[in-house]
Amino acid sequence: KEMVVWRNFKIEVIASANGQLVRTLAPDQGLFRGIPAPSISPDGTVYFDRGVEPTPGVPITQIVSVPLSGGPTSIVAEGHDPVVSPNGDLLAYLAYDVTGVPQSIVVRDLRTARETAWQSSSSQFDINGLSWSPDSASLAFTVIRPSADKGSETVTSQVIDVSAPP
C-alpha cells in the first residue's frame, strides 16, 4: 500500500494508490552518482545511498538505513547502490575509491556486520544493476567495459555465488 521513493532530494514514503506523501524518512539527500534507489528489508529497514562531504571538497557516498516507520538515519558503510537480499540477511552494494581503485561489490551480513568484497580487475570497468536471486544465494550485476578507443563499449551480465570466496 506504500512505496519508498526519492523525490525532491528526499527519501519519502508515498501512498501507492495516489502518490500522496505519507511521511518523509530523510530530507535533503544529496547525490554524487546517480539517483538513490531505496531498498527495503523484510523487517522494515530502508537502505539508500547519499552524497556527503565530511571533508570539504572530498565527496563520498554513504549507505544509510532508516526504519520504514520513521526515525533517525544510521550510517552503514561507504558505498552506493544498496540492495537487500530477499531473505533480509544480506546487503549488497558497490564501493569505489575516487583515487582510481577499481570498484568492488561488497556483501554485508546484516546480522553480524561481516563483509565480503569482490574486487573488479580494472578501474576501467563500470559495475551496476545489482540484483539478488530469489534464494539470496547469488548476485547478478552488469559490467560495462569501454573499448580501447572509447568509441564503444561491451555490456555483459555476470553472477557471483555470495557464499563462495571472492
Side-chain angles (χ1 to χ4, degrees):
K1 296 182 181 182
E2 298 177 338
M3 298 170 46
V4 179
V5 299
W6 179 80
R7 68 178 181 183
N8 300 323
F9 292 92
K10 298 174 186 159
I11 301 294
E12 297 179 330
V13 178
I14 61 170
S16 59
N18 59 18
Q20 294 297 311
L21 176 66
V22 175
R23 70 185 148 279
T24 299
L25 296 177
D28 302 321
Q29 296 307 305
L31 64 152
F32 293 125
R33 182 185 167 128
I35 295 172
S39 184
I40 306 155
S41 70
D43 74 357
T45 302
V46 179
Y47 296 90
F48 61 95
D49 55 12
R50 68 177 180 192
V52 295
E53 261 184 51
T55 304
V58 183
I60 64 168
T61 309
Q62 294 175 331
I63 307 293
V64 295
S65 66
V66 64
L68 181 58
S69 59
T73 58
S74 299
I75 298 170
V76 176
E78 280 190 27
H80 58 97
D81 297 332
V83 182
V84 179
S85 63
N87 66 10
D89 293 342
L90 304 170
L91 177 71
Y93 63 92
L94 298 172
Y96 65 98
D97 186 323
V98 294
T99 62
V101 173
Q103 274 190 328
S104 59
I105 296 171
V106 179
V107 174
R108 179 185 186 96
D109 186 315
L110 292 171
R111 296 161 299 173
T112 66
R114 183 176 160 259
E115 293 184 340
T116 305
W118 287 262
Q119 187 79 35
S120 173
S121 60
S122 170
S123 60
Q124 300 301 312
F125 298 167
D126 190 25
I127 300 170
N128 59 43
L130 297 176
S131 179
W132 284 100
S133 61
D135 64 359
S136 302
S138 300
L139 190 63
F141 55 97
T142 302
V143 178
I144 301 170
R145 294 178 176 92
S147 63
D149 65 1
K150 300 196 187 308
S152 63
E153 52 192 31
T154 303
V155 179
T156 59
S157 294
Q158 298 184 14
V159 176
I160 54 175
D161 175 351
V162 298
S163 65

